[in-house]
Amino acid sequence: VPLADVPVGEAVVVDVDGTRVVVARPSEDEVVAFSANCTHAGTVVEATGGLELRCPNHGSRFDAGDGAAVLDGPAEQPLPPVPASIEGDLVVLSV
Ligand code: FES
């Protein structure tokens, strides 16, 4: 994923060979990534501005800046982390 596609302070949902992954950039030189499948029933979450994610199915919200912690249920578990690193002008994901 091009680093330029992930603005500082934002989260985006990308498709990696058919797997949806949340990539977030809490600061200039830090990226984090998570499975985009809601831990409630698997629906793909949406980025809603800033580092917040929302599941369109039953409304769970997650904070990509805090380990994808649950902000609002019904989900009870954070989104599973995906290893991510910045290499040059790319975000490299280990999906
Ligand atoms: S599937 Fe995401 S809140 Fe139910």
Side-chain angles (χ1 to χ4, degrees):
V1 180
L3 184 58
D5 287 359
V6 190
V8 177
E10 304 255 339
V12 298
V13 179
V14 300
D15 190 307
V16 183
D17 297 331
T19 300
R20 299 295 193 92
V21 177
V22 174
V23 183
R25 197 167 169 196
S27 65
E28 178 71 32
D29 53 7
E30 182 190 5
V31 291
V32 289
F34 307 93
S35 163
N37 293 103
C38 181
T39 52
H40 179 231
T43 302
V44 173
V45 300
E46 298 169 339
T48 55
L51 295 171
E52 199 168 304
L53 309 163
R54 183 178 182 280
C55 177
N57 201 350
H58 312 102
S60 290
R61 294 186 304 122
F62 303 89
D63 181 359
D66 183 23
V70 175
L71 296 172
D72 243 339
E76 296 182 345
Q77 300 296 323
L79 301 175
V82 169
S85 59
I86 296 174
E87 293 186 17
D89 55 4
L90 291 177
V91 177
V92 177
L93 302 169
S94 303
V95 177

